[in-house]
Amino acid sequence: MPPIDLIALRHEFHKMPELGFAEERTKARIAGILEDLGVETTIGVGVVGVLKRGSGIRAIGLRADMDALPIHEATNHDYVSQTAGVMHACGHDGHMTMLLGAAEALAEDSNFDGTVVFIFQPNEEHGLGAQAMIAEGLLERLPVEEIYAIHNLPGAPVGQVSTRPGQICSSESLFEILIEGQGGHASMPQAGRDAITIAAEVVQALQTIVSRKLAPGAGVVVSVTEILTDGQRNVLPGIATLKGDVRARVPEDREEVARLMRQLAEGIGTAHGVKISVKFNTEFIETINAPEQTRAVVEAGLALGLETEGNREPMSFSEDFAHFSAAVPGCFLLLGNGQEGPCAQPLHSDDYDFNDDLLPIGAAFWAQLVRDRLPIAGNEGD
């Protein structure tokens, strides 16, 4: 097999984006490359490659995400998405390519002792892929002792490694608040119980959860993102639905937000004589990094001469990797994607792009981490 052209491969992935649980072409392409490298490969809800060297019994997992987003690409490079309304706007095309680059390097160089499990996960964006792979029996079939994942970070210097022990990414919970009032004529509001006015009061009350009921600096965000009603231009709504998003750094704060949300809704409903119900569903749990694995990431970054930060601020976004790191000690790390042009645009932006200069850096980082964590006897600390 000729050497992998990482840039060409990343561009190929970029041109063929697929949404969560529909990554069929992507899975087939990844599996074909792994098989050509001599890596034992299995296709299920995701793709898993197993590479064994020596007689070591330890195993570690490396995860890359595969899915794209329902975004229409606004860039003008020559590898734009060929699927209308779907785009790799989060860099998963680069994440896959870096891990395949590492698989190639490790398959050619037997300077480690143990087992590496390459995990290509579907549907990260909706927080469902990791659980699906776990439910499929991945961790029972291949009991890795530790697990790692990389995400690119726009705005940070190219190749900068940053992570932290403990909580690294926030949880994400979605809420839906249903207000059941009494509709009526817009000219006679006293005859009904206007749901939209009550909804406005609920929106204002929700803002006091963070500002007045949680400790300053808790890092919680409560956002109302939609208001839906059955009203018309001259019809006061009887039904209003509020939808929104909650981010939290620790489970206790997440649970307290849910409790306070229900308490406020009940009180406002009683005050206005209407029924208000609350649904609160956690899509992503908090991502927690284990101390030993975090130290290993920092040491690998330093060994490669990369700018490395081992105690960065937690990220406000959420990560499906949380389900893996809740089951197995692990570390989620960030690699700087660059500070200029499309590489510095926000994740999920229609003009974002992954930085091709990061591809060999990420592949080398993965290979270094494997050699550090699965050393050949006598090479420890080399």
Side-chain angles (χ1 to χ4, degrees):
M1 175 181 173
I4 297 174
D5 184 329
L6 296 181
I7 293 177
L9 180 60
R10 204 279 290 184
H11 292 184
E12 178 185 342
F13 284 136
H14 192 89
K15 289 194 292 186
M16 54 179 240
E18 296 173 298
L19 298 175
F21 289 144
E23 306 97 330
E24 297 306 321
R25 289 174 59 200
T26 304
K27 287 161 59 174
R29 183 72 172 109
I30 290 170
I33 294 171
L34 290 174
E35 289 167 353
D36 287 344
L37 292 172
V39 176
E40 179 185 337
T41 304
T42 304
I43 300 178
V45 294
V47 180
V48 178
V50 179
L51 182 63
K52 299 179 181 180
R53 290 289 185 268
S55 58
I57 60 173
R58 296 191 68 242
I60 68 172
L62 311 178
R63 189 221 69 170
D65 31 21
M66 299 188 295
D67 55 324
L69 287 153
I71 294 174
H72 181 77
E73 186 165 5
T75 59
N76 58 5
H77 47 62
D78 60 4
Y79 50 89
V80 295
S81 169
Q82 302 299 300
T83 305
V86 182
M87 176 191 175
H88 271 299
C90 202
H92 297 183
D93 50 343
H95 300 169
M96 292 183 283
T97 304
M98 291 190 298
L99 190 53
L100 288 168
E104 178 183 46
L106 292 167
E108 293 175 352
D109 180 356
S110 59
N111 192 26
F112 69 95
D113 184 22
T115 301
V116 186
V117 181
F118 304 102
I119 301 167
F120 294 86
Q121 180 206 307
N123 205 329
E124 187 281 324
E125 295 292 354
H126 291 100
L128 300 172
Q131 293 179 89
M133 295 191 82
I134 292 169
E136 194 177 43
L138 170 64
L139 299 181
E140 287 79 17
R141 181 167 53 89
L142 298 167
V144 297
E145 297 178 19
E146 52 194 46
I147 193 164
Y148 300 85
I150 286 175
H151 205 292
N152 75 96
L153 183 61
V158 177
Q160 180 194 64
V161 176
S162 64
T163 189
R164 61 178 281 114
Q167 186 265 340
I168 178 74
C169 294
S170 298
S171 62
E172 181 186 22
S173 302
L174 303 181
F175 64 85
E176 183 173 308
I177 301 175
L178 176 64
I179 300 165
E180 300 177 71
Q182 173 63 60
H185 200 287
S187 68
M188 296 180 288
Q190 76 283 0
R193 292 187 296 279
D194 175 14
I196 203 166
T197 302
I198 300 168
E201 186 173 336
V202 173
V203 172
Q204 289 295 101
L206 292 178
Q207 305 315 303
T208 68
I209 292 176
V210 173
S211 66
R212 290 296 180 268
K213 296 180 171 63
L214 297 178
V220 174
V221 180
V222 177
S223 299
V224 177
T225 57
E226 296 180 75
I227 302 178
L228 310 172
T229 79
D230 62 350
Q232 301 293 329
R233 55 172 292 197
N234 60 350
V235 178
L236 294 175
I239 301 292
T241 302
L242 305 178
K243 295 184 179 184
D245 181 282
V246 174
R247 306 287 171 140
R249 293 181 177 179
V250 296
E252 293 78 11
D253 284 345
R254 165 164 47 93
E255 293 161 4
E256 181 67 356
V257 169
R259 186 189 72 80
L260 290 168
M261 193 173 287
R262 293 188 173 97
Q263 182 185 79
L264 288 168
E266 181 180 353
I268 293 171
T270 299
H272 291 280
V274 300
K275 180 182 178 182
I276 304 182
S277 56
V278 177
K279 295 179 181 178
F280 191 95
N281 179 50
T282 298
E283 299 281 302
F284 295 80
I285 60 174
E286 298 80 8
T287 307
I288 308 298
N289 283 345
E292 180 183 343
Q293 284 66 38
T294 303
R295 285 194 297 271
V297 162
V298 171
E299 290 168 2
L302 293 173
L304 289 172
L306 300 174
E307 180 182 345
T308 303
E309 169 58 58
N311 195 29
R312 66 157 300 117
E313 284 296 306
M315 304 302 297
S316 60
F317 63 65
S318 304
E319 206 356 285
D320 194 24
F321 180 73
H323 293 287
F324 284 127
S325 61
V328 179
C331 182
F332 179 81
L333 65 134
L334 299 143
L335 280 183
N337 197 53
Q339 298 173 295
E340 297 180 352
C343 304
Q345 293 299 95
L347 297 170
H348 296 199
S349 171
D350 62 4
D351 57 351
Y352 158 88
D353 195 20
F354 187 89
N355 194 332
D356 288 331
D357 290 342
L358 190 55
L359 295 171
I361 298 173
F365 176 87
W366 277 139
Q368 179 70 42
L369 183 65
V370 169
R371 293 170 185 135
D372 288 350
R373 300 306 287 167
L374 301 175
I376 295 174
N379 290 354
E380 295 90 340
D382 288 356

